[in-house]
Amino acid sequence: MLPFDSNTINIEQTLINMLHIDGAMAVAIVDANTGFMLGSLSKSREEMDLEYASASNTELYHAKQRIMKSLGINEKIEDFLITLETQYHILVPANHLDGIFVYFVLSKNKGTLALARRRLKDLILQMEIV
């Protein structure tokens, strides 16, 4: 018997695959209903508080949904992009999984934004949480 259920293995493998994207610094899979991380990984020497970032980004996720609703926009969000001097912070809703999103940090110097966004979307579509 494995020490992990299939859900844990799927999350862990998805995180590993996402962290293999060129320029990846950190990644978390977040339940937007609670603000809790389902899992995270980081390459960064400077440890990021991914738990705090996940909870805070949950607030951003919900705020944008409220704004869209009040404006009468009925489209699905593809991703949020926050551009810093040396990093991109990307939030990608897993639209096929209710309330789940990925928080991904990419180095501007080591990664390519377009390629990272494409790879993230492919990996998210393969992700299952049961």
Side-chain angles (χ1 to χ4, degrees):
M1 187 163 147
L2 293 172
F4 303 104
D5 62 25
S6 60
N7 183 38
T8 304
I9 292 169
N10 185 287
I11 289 172
E12 185 173 341
Q13 189 58 54
T14 300
L15 290 166
I16 290 167
N17 291 343
M18 289 177 176
L19 206 57
H20 279 94
I21 295 172
D22 288 340
M25 297 174 68
V27 61
I29 298 173
V30 183
D31 181 344
N33 299 308
T34 63
F36 292 123
M37 285 189 317
L38 302 177
S40 68
L41 284 177
S42 176
K43 282 187 192 176
S44 178
R45 290 186 188 119
E46 301 169 10
E47 284 300 313
M48 298 178 71
D49 187 344
L50 290 173
E51 231 174 304
Y52 177 77
S54 296
S56 297
N57 282 313
T58 298
E59 292 177 27
L60 174 65
Y61 177 89
H62 289 298
K64 186 59 183 171
Q65 287 183 328
R66 283 190 304 272
I67 292 166
M68 289 177 52
K69 185 176 180 178
S70 69
L71 294 173
I73 299 172
N74 295 318
E75 297 183 36
K76 290 184 180 179
I77 296 170
E78 288 188 14
D79 62 30
F80 300 77
L81 175 62
I82 300 157
T83 306
L84 304 177
E85 292 175 11
T86 62
Q87 303 170 0
Y88 295 111
H89 290 232
I90 308 166
L91 278 70
V92 186
N95 289 321
H96 67 292
L97 301 170
D98 186 38
I100 304 296
F101 70 89
V102 171
Y103 170 57
F104 183 80
V105 181
L106 178 71
S107 166
K108 286 176 90 172
N109 297 329
K110 296 179 182 176
T112 305
L113 179 60
L115 293 175
R117 288 174 75 201
R118 176 58 194 233
R119 185 71 180 127
L120 278 173
K121 288 178 186 177
D122 290 344
L123 289 169
I124 288 169
L125 283 174
Q126 296 171 18
M127 187 169 60
E128 293 179 22
I129 298 175
V130 290

Short mmCIF file of all heavy atoms in Angstrom, two decimals, residues 30-70:
data_model
loop_
_atom_site.label_atom_id
_atom_site.label_comp_id
_atom_site.label_asym_id
_atom_site.label_seq_id
_atom_site.Cartn_x
_atom_site.Cartn_y
_atom_site.Cartn_z
N VAL A 30 -3.77 25.83 -5.22
CA VAL A 30 -4.53 26.46 -4.15
C VAL A 30 -6.03 26.18 -4.31
O VAL A 30 -6.56 26.22 -5.42
CB VAL A 30 -4.30 27.99 -4.18
CG1 VAL A 30 -5.02 28.68 -3.03
CG2 VAL A 30 -2.80 28.32 -4.15
N ASP A 31 -6.68 25.94 -3.19
CA ASP A 31 -8.13 25.82 -3.14
C ASP A 31 -8.69 27.22 -2.83
O ASP A 31 -8.55 27.71 -1.71
CB ASP A 31 -8.55 24.83 -2.06
CG ASP A 31 -10.05 24.63 -1.96
OD1 ASP A 31 -10.82 25.47 -2.50
OD2 ASP A 31 -10.47 23.65 -1.33
N ALA A 32 -9.29 27.85 -3.82
CA ALA A 32 -9.80 29.21 -3.65
C ALA A 32 -11.01 29.27 -2.72
O ALA A 32 -11.35 30.34 -2.22
CB ALA A 32 -10.17 29.81 -5.01
N ASN A 33 -11.65 28.14 -2.47
CA ASN A 33 -12.79 28.13 -1.55
C ASN A 33 -12.34 28.33 -0.11
O ASN A 33 -13.06 28.89 0.71
CB ASN A 33 -13.56 26.81 -1.69
CG ASN A 33 -14.11 26.63 -3.09
OD1 ASN A 33 -14.78 27.50 -3.61
ND2 ASN A 33 -13.80 25.50 -3.70
N THR A 34 -11.11 27.89 0.20
CA THR A 34 -10.61 27.99 1.57
C THR A 34 -9.36 28.87 1.69
O THR A 34 -9.03 29.31 2.79
CB THR A 34 -10.24 26.59 2.10
OG1 THR A 34 -9.18 26.05 1.30
CG2 THR A 34 -11.43 25.65 2.09
N GLY A 35 -8.64 29.05 0.59
CA GLY A 35 -7.38 29.79 0.62
C GLY A 35 -6.20 28.91 0.99
O GLY A 35 -5.06 29.39 1.07
N PHE A 36 -6.45 27.63 1.21
CA PHE A 36 -5.38 26.72 1.61
C PHE A 36 -4.65 26.14 0.41
O PHE A 36 -5.26 25.85 -0.62
CB PHE A 36 -5.92 25.56 2.45
CG PHE A 36 -6.41 25.98 3.80
CD1 PHE A 36 -7.72 25.71 4.17
CD2 PHE A 36 -5.58 26.62 4.71
CE1 PHE A 36 -8.19 26.09 5.42
CE2 PHE A 36 -6.04 27.00 5.95
CZ PHE A 36 -7.34 26.74 6.31
N MET A 37 -3.35 25.95 0.58
CA MET A 37 -2.56 25.27 -0.44
C MET A 37 -2.83 23.78 -0.38
O MET A 37 -2.89 23.20 0.70
CB MET A 37 -1.05 25.47 -0.18
CG MET A 37 -0.51 26.79 -0.49
SD MET A 37 1.30 26.82 -0.39
CE MET A 37 1.66 25.90 1.08
N LEU A 38 -2.94 23.18 -1.55
CA LEU A 38 -3.03 21.73 -1.63
C LEU A 38 -1.64 21.14 -1.76
O LEU A 38 -1.42 19.96 -1.50
CB LEU A 38 -3.91 21.31 -2.81
CG LEU A 38 -5.34 21.86 -2.79
CD1 LEU A 38 -6.09 21.44 -4.04
CD2 LEU A 38 -6.06 21.40 -1.53
N GLY A 39 -0.69 21.98 -2.17
CA GLY A 39 0.70 21.57 -2.30
C GLY A 39 1.52 22.70 -2.87
O GLY A 39 0.97 23.62 -3.49
N SER A 40 2.83 22.65 -2.66
CA SER A 40 3.71 23.69 -3.21
C SER A 40 5.13 23.16 -3.33
O SER A 40 5.51 22.20 -2.65
CB SER A 40 3.71 24.93 -2.31
OG SER A 40 4.32 24.64 -1.07
N LEU A 41 5.91 23.80 -4.20
CA LEU A 41 7.34 23.53 -4.37
C LEU A 41 8.03 24.84 -4.71
O LEU A 41 7.43 25.72 -5.34
CB LEU A 41 7.59 22.52 -5.49
CG LEU A 41 7.31 21.06 -5.23
CD1 LEU A 41 7.55 20.24 -6.51
CD2 LEU A 41 8.16 20.51 -4.10
N SER A 42 9.29 24.93 -4.34
CA SER A 42 10.05 26.15 -4.62
C SER A 42 11.49 25.81 -4.94
O SER A 42 12.06 24.91 -4.33
CB SER A 42 9.98 27.09 -3.42
OG SER A 42 10.77 28.23 -3.64
N LYS A 43 12.09 26.53 -5.89
CA LYS A 43 13.51 26.43 -6.21
C LYS A 43 14.29 27.59 -5.62
O LYS A 43 15.50 27.56 -5.57
CB LYS A 43 13.72 26.49 -7.73
CG LYS A 43 13.44 25.26 -8.48
CD LYS A 43 13.88 25.50 -9.92
CE LYS A 43 13.39 24.45 -10.85
NZ LYS A 43 13.75 24.76 -12.24
N SER A 44 13.58 28.60 -5.23
CA SER A 44 14.19 29.85 -4.84
C SER A 44 15.07 29.71 -3.60
O SER A 44 14.67 29.07 -2.63
CB SER A 44 13.09 30.89 -4.57
OG SER A 44 13.64 32.10 -4.15
N ARG A 45 16.25 30.30 -3.65
CA ARG A 45 17.12 30.33 -2.47
C ARG A 45 16.49 31.19 -1.38
O ARG A 45 16.62 30.92 -0.21
CB ARG A 45 18.49 30.90 -2.85
CG ARG A 45 19.28 29.96 -3.71
CD ARG A 45 20.68 30.50 -3.94
NE ARG A 45 21.33 29.66 -4.92
CZ ARG A 45 21.77 30.09 -6.08
NH1 ARG A 45 21.66 31.35 -6.40
NH2 ARG A 45 22.34 29.26 -6.92
N GLU A 46 15.84 32.26 -1.81
CA GLU A 46 15.10 33.11 -0.87
C GLU A 46 13.72 32.50 -0.72
O GLU A 46 12.91 32.57 -1.61
CB GLU A 46 14.99 34.53 -1.42
CG GLU A 46 16.30 35.19 -1.70
CD GLU A 46 16.13 36.48 -2.49
OE1 GLU A 46 14.99 36.94 -2.66
OE2 GLU A 46 17.15 36.99 -2.97
N GLU A 47 13.51 31.87 0.40
CA GLU A 47 12.24 31.18 0.61
C GLU A 47 11.06 32.15 0.57
O GLU A 47 11.05 33.16 1.26
CB GLU A 47 12.25 30.43 1.95
CG GLU A 47 13.06 29.16 1.91
CD GLU A 47 12.57 28.16 0.89
OE1 GLU A 47 11.36 27.87 0.82
OE2 GLU A 47 13.42 27.64 0.15
N MET A 48 10.11 31.83 -0.27
CA MET A 48 8.88 32.60 -0.36
C MET A 48 7.88 31.97 0.61
O MET A 48 7.86 30.76 0.75
CB MET A 48 8.31 32.54 -1.77
CG MET A 48 9.21 33.12 -2.83
SD MET A 48 8.47 32.94 -4.46
CE MET A 48 7.17 34.13 -4.34
N ASP A 49 7.08 32.78 1.22
CA ASP A 49 6.03 32.27 2.08
C ASP A 49 4.83 31.94 1.18
O ASP A 49 3.93 32.76 1.00
CB ASP A 49 5.67 33.30 3.14
CG ASP A 49 4.69 32.76 4.18
OD1 ASP A 49 4.06 31.71 3.92
OD2 ASP A 49 4.56 33.41 5.23
N LEU A 50 4.86 30.74 0.63
CA LEU A 50 3.83 30.35 -0.33
C LEU A 50 2.47 30.18 0.33
O LEU A 50 1.44 30.36 -0.31
CB LEU A 50 4.24 29.08 -1.07
CG LEU A 50 5.40 29.27 -2.05
CD1 LEU A 50 5.85 27.93 -2.61
CD2 LEU A 50 4.98 30.20 -3.19
N GLU A 51 2.46 29.86 1.60
CA GLU A 51 1.18 29.75 2.31
C GLU A 51 0.50 31.11 2.38
O GLU A 51 -0.69 31.24 2.11
CB GLU A 51 1.40 29.19 3.72
CG GLU A 51 0.49 28.04 4.02
CD GLU A 51 0.81 27.40 5.35
OE1 GLU A 51 1.95 26.97 5.57
OE2 GLU A 51 -0.13 27.32 6.15
N TYR A 52 1.26 32.12 2.76
CA TYR A 52 0.73 33.49 2.83
C TYR A 52 0.34 33.97 1.43
O TYR A 52 -0.74 34.55 1.24
CB TYR A 52 1.76 34.43 3.45
CG TYR A 52 1.30 35.87 3.47
CD1 TYR A 52 0.39 36.30 4.43
CD2 TYR A 52 1.76 36.78 2.53
CE1 TYR A 52 -0.06 37.62 4.45
CE2 TYR A 52 1.32 38.10 2.54
CZ TYR A 52 0.41 38.51 3.50
OH TYR A 52 -0.03 39.81 3.50
N ALA A 53 1.21 33.73 0.45
CA ALA A 53 0.92 34.15 -0.93
C ALA A 53 -0.34 33.48 -1.46
O ALA A 53 -1.15 34.11 -2.13
CB ALA A 53 2.11 33.84 -1.83
N SER A 54 -0.53 32.22 -1.14
CA SER A 54 -1.72 31.50 -1.60
C SER A 54 -2.99 32.10 -1.02
O SER A 54 -3.96 32.33 -1.74
CB SER A 54 -1.62 30.02 -1.22
OG SER A 54 -0.54 29.42 -1.88
N ALA A 55 -2.98 32.35 0.28
CA ALA A 55 -4.16 32.95 0.92
C ALA A 55 -4.43 34.34 0.37
O ALA A 55 -5.59 34.70 0.08
CB ALA A 55 -3.95 33.00 2.43
N SER A 56 -3.38 35.13 0.19
CA SER A 56 -3.55 36.50 -0.33
C SER A 56 -4.01 36.49 -1.78
O SER A 56 -4.87 37.30 -2.17
CB SER A 56 -2.23 37.26 -0.21
OG SER A 56 -1.88 37.39 1.14
N ASN A 57 -3.48 35.60 -2.58
CA ASN A 57 -3.90 35.52 -3.97
C ASN A 57 -5.32 35.00 -4.11
O ASN A 57 -6.00 35.30 -5.09
CB ASN A 57 -2.92 34.67 -4.78
CG ASN A 57 -1.68 35.44 -5.13
OD1 ASN A 57 -1.75 36.58 -5.58
ND2 ASN A 57 -0.52 34.84 -4.91
N THR A 58 -5.79 34.27 -3.11
CA THR A 58 -7.20 33.86 -3.10
C THR A 58 -8.10 35.08 -3.02
O THR A 58 -9.12 35.15 -3.70
CB THR A 58 -7.47 32.90 -1.92
OG1 THR A 58 -6.67 31.72 -2.10
CG2 THR A 58 -8.93 32.51 -1.84
N GLU A 59 -7.69 36.07 -2.23
CA GLU A 59 -8.46 37.32 -2.15
C GLU A 59 -8.49 38.02 -3.50
O GLU A 59 -9.53 38.54 -3.92
CB GLU A 59 -7.86 38.23 -1.08
CG GLU A 59 -8.01 37.70 0.32
CD GLU A 59 -7.35 38.59 1.36
OE1 GLU A 59 -7.21 39.80 1.12
OE2 GLU A 59 -6.97 38.07 2.42
N LEU A 60 -7.35 38.06 -4.18
CA LEU A 60 -7.28 38.66 -5.52
C LEU A 60 -8.20 37.91 -6.50
O LEU A 60 -8.94 38.52 -7.27
CB LEU A 60 -5.83 38.63 -6.03
CG LEU A 60 -5.60 39.08 -7.46
CD1 LEU A 60 -5.94 40.55 -7.64
CD2 LEU A 60 -4.14 38.82 -7.85
N TYR A 61 -8.15 36.61 -6.44
CA TYR A 61 -8.97 35.75 -7.29
C TYR A 61 -10.46 36.08 -7.12
O TYR A 61 -11.19 36.29 -8.09
CB TYR A 61 -8.67 34.30 -6.92
CG TYR A 61 -9.45 33.22 -7.62
CD1 TYR A 61 -8.99 32.68 -8.82
CD2 TYR A 61 -10.63 32.71 -7.07
CE1 TYR A 61 -9.69 31.66 -9.44
CE2 TYR A 61 -11.32 31.70 -7.70
CZ TYR A 61 -10.85 31.18 -8.88
OH TYR A 61 -11.54 30.18 -9.50
N HIS A 62 -10.90 36.16 -5.87
CA HIS A 62 -12.31 36.46 -5.59
C HIS A 62 -12.67 37.90 -5.95
O HIS A 62 -13.77 38.16 -6.45
CB HIS A 62 -12.66 36.16 -4.13
CG HIS A 62 -12.69 34.71 -3.82
ND1 HIS A 62 -13.55 33.81 -4.41
CD2 HIS A 62 -11.93 33.97 -2.97
CE1 HIS A 62 -13.34 32.59 -3.95
NE2 HIS A 62 -12.36 32.66 -3.08
N ALA A 63 -11.77 38.84 -5.70
CA ALA A 63 -12.03 40.25 -6.03
C ALA A 63 -12.24 40.41 -7.52
O ALA A 63 -13.17 41.11 -7.95
CB ALA A 63 -10.88 41.13 -5.55
N LYS A 64 -11.42 39.78 -8.32
CA LYS A 64 -11.57 39.90 -9.78
C LYS A 64 -12.88 39.27 -10.24
O LYS A 64 -13.55 39.80 -11.13
CB LYS A 64 -10.37 39.26 -10.50
CG LYS A 64 -10.39 39.49 -11.99
CD LYS A 64 -10.38 40.98 -12.32
CE LYS A 64 -10.46 41.23 -13.80
NZ LYS A 64 -10.66 42.65 -14.10
N GLN A 65 -13.26 38.17 -9.64
CA GLN A 65 -14.54 37.55 -10.00
C GLN A 65 -15.71 38.47 -9.66
O GLN A 65 -16.65 38.58 -10.44
CB GLN A 65 -14.69 36.20 -9.31
CG GLN A 65 -13.80 35.14 -9.90
CD GLN A 65 -14.01 33.78 -9.26
OE1 GLN A 65 -14.33 33.67 -8.08
NE2 GLN A 65 -13.83 32.74 -10.04
N ARG A 66 -15.64 39.15 -8.50
CA ARG A 66 -16.70 40.09 -8.12
C ARG A 66 -16.76 41.26 -9.10
O ARG A 66 -17.84 41.70 -9.49
CB ARG A 66 -16.48 40.61 -6.70
CG ARG A 66 -16.85 39.63 -5.62
CD ARG A 66 -16.85 40.26 -4.23
NE ARG A 66 -15.58 40.87 -3.87
CZ ARG A 66 -14.56 40.24 -3.28
NH1 ARG A 66 -14.67 38.97 -3.00
NH2 ARG A 66 -13.45 40.90 -2.98
N ILE A 67 -15.60 41.78 -9.49
CA ILE A 67 -15.55 42.90 -10.44
C ILE A 67 -16.16 42.48 -11.77
O ILE A 67 -16.97 43.22 -12.34
CB ILE A 67 -14.09 43.39 -10.63
CG1 ILE A 67 -13.58 44.03 -9.35
CG2 ILE A 67 -14.00 44.34 -11.81
CD1 ILE A 67 -12.07 44.23 -9.32
N MET A 68 -15.78 41.32 -12.26
CA MET A 68 -16.33 40.85 -13.54
C MET A 68 -17.84 40.68 -13.46
O MET A 68 -18.56 41.05 -14.38
CB MET A 68 -15.66 39.54 -13.95
CG MET A 68 -14.22 39.75 -14.39
SD MET A 68 -13.36 38.22 -14.81
CE MET A 68 -14.47 37.45 -15.98
N LYS A 69 -18.32 40.13 -12.35
CA LYS A 69 -19.77 39.94 -12.18
C LYS A 69 -20.48 41.28 -12.17
O LYS A 69 -21.51 41.45 -12.83
CB LYS A 69 -20.05 39.18 -10.90
CG LYS A 69 -21.50 38.84 -10.70
CD LYS A 69 -21.73 37.99 -9.47
CE LYS A 69 -23.21 37.68 -9.32
NZ LYS A 69 -23.47 36.82 -8.17
N SER A 70 -19.93 42.27 -11.45
CA SER A 70 -20.58 43.58 -11.37
C SER A 70 -20.56 44.30 -12.72
O SER A 70 -21.42 45.14 -12.99
CB SER A 70 -19.94 44.45 -10.29
OG SER A 70 -18.64 44.82 -10.64
#
